[in-house]
Amino acid sequence: MKLALSFTVALALAMLAGCGTSPSGLCEDKCDCTGACSERDEVECIDALEDAERTSEYEGCEDQFDEVISCIDDAFVCDGREVDISGCSRPLENLGECAGPLVSLAVYAQFE
């Protein structure tokens, strides 16, 4: 019984860690807001953010990428069927300066 309870608690904590600022969580939020995403659109959004994350890590820009993702999570507003992340221009610029403009554009493009 204790083992089952421990497993349940561990599983719940793991699921909490995956919510919010994960690429999949942000893409799901975007698709929920716009109502215009197919399953493929959501997967492509996740892939684009994960590619940007890998490139950022390769370039030594993990902190800048994390700042952008955190900002998008905090600033995300669903306005009708439009996503607004207007408060994140500076973190996106910082990411572009560090990892290259294509990386920041790839992230931004997922939410425009």
Side-chain angles (χ1 to χ4, degrees), residues 10-23:
L11 182 61
L13 289 174
M15 290 175 65
L16 284 175
C19 296
T21 57
S22 71

Side-chain angles (χ1 to χ4, degrees), residues 13-97:
L13 289 174
M15 290 175 65
L16 284 175
C19 296
T21 57
S22 71
S24 62
L26 291 174
C27 291
E28 182 179 335
D29 290 347
K30 175 194 113 169
C31 288
D32 288 346
C33 174
T34 64
C37 288
S38 67
E39 188 175 320
R40 181 177 179 182
D41 293 333
E42 188 171 339
V43 168
E44 288 176 357
C45 174
I46 294 166
D47 288 347
L49 293 181
E50 288 176 345
D51 288 348
E53 182 177 28
R54 280 189 290 278
T55 301
S56 297
E57 289 171 356
Y58 178 80
E59 296 294 333
C61 305
E62 302 95 335
D63 291 343
Q64 290 84 349
F65 180 83
D66 290 344
E67 181 184 6
V68 167
I69 295 300
S70 180
C71 182
I72 291 170
D73 185 50
D74 292 343
F76 188 100
V77 173
C78 182
D79 186 15
R81 293 265 180 209
E82 302 278 325
V83 173
D84 179 7
I85 59 164
S86 59
C88 297
S89 59
R90 188 64 202 148
L92 282 161
E93 289 173 18
N94 291 341
L95 178 61
E97 290 170 5

